[in-house]
Structure formats: structure tokens, C-alpha cells
Amino acid sequence: MSLTTRLVALAGTGLLTVSALAACAGVALVGWLLVAGPTAPRVMATMVAFGLALSAGLAGVVARKHAAGTLLPSDVDLSVGFRGGQGGL
């Protein structure tokens, strides 16, 4: 495994860690919203936390899949499932 591949995999793991922490912070912020009531800064912080969780999670998964070499190709899928089950075409 090359150094670049290891660094990309490490970056992906870091992004997944950030995603998990942001999701936990978002859940804690939702709890705070329910207990203390919504204000503009609390709602904005909650939205930012969940947005960070989604974006960092997606980037982390893509980075790790790229490092592992398992990203799907961008070509058109010619599998039977893509064609709606029309077996012999």
C-alpha cells in the first residue's frame, strides 16, 4: 500500500470521526432545544452540526472507498437490475 493511499484512508477515517462527533453534537443540541426552547443561534448551531455530519460523512466514505479502490465507475450500469430485469438483452 502506497503512502498516498494510506494518507487518503487516514483522512477518510478522520472525516468519519468528525462526522460521528458532529452527529452526537447535533443530537445534544436537539435535546437542548427541547429543554431550553428554540432560539435562532441554537437552531442554526443544530443545522450546522447535522450539515457537517452529513458532508463530512459522505466525504469520508468516498475517501476511504477511493483508497480501497472500490468506488463505482462512472460508466452506465449495464447490469440486469439497471435494465429493469430484462435478462437476455
Side-chain angles (χ1 to χ4, degrees):
M1 183 182 283
S2 71
L3 179 63
T4 305
T5 303
R6 288 183 187 200
L7 289 175
V8 170
L10 183 64
T13 303
L15 284 168
L16 288 174
T17 303
V18 168
S19 174
L21 292 174
C24 291
V27 169
L29 286 167
V30 167
W32 189 24
L33 279 171
L34 293 174
V35 170
T39 62
R42 290 180 195 149
V43 172
M44 182 61 73
T46 305
M47 292 187 331
V48 167
F50 284 124
L52 178 63
L54 286 172
S55 58
L58 179 61
V61 167
V62 169
R64 288 188 46 94
K65 286 180 93 45
H66 176 68
T70 58
L71 275 176
L72 289 175
S74 60
D75 297 337
V76 175
D77 188 2
L78 298 177
S79 68
V80 173
F82 180 75
R83 288 181 275 142
Q86 301 169 4
L89 295 179

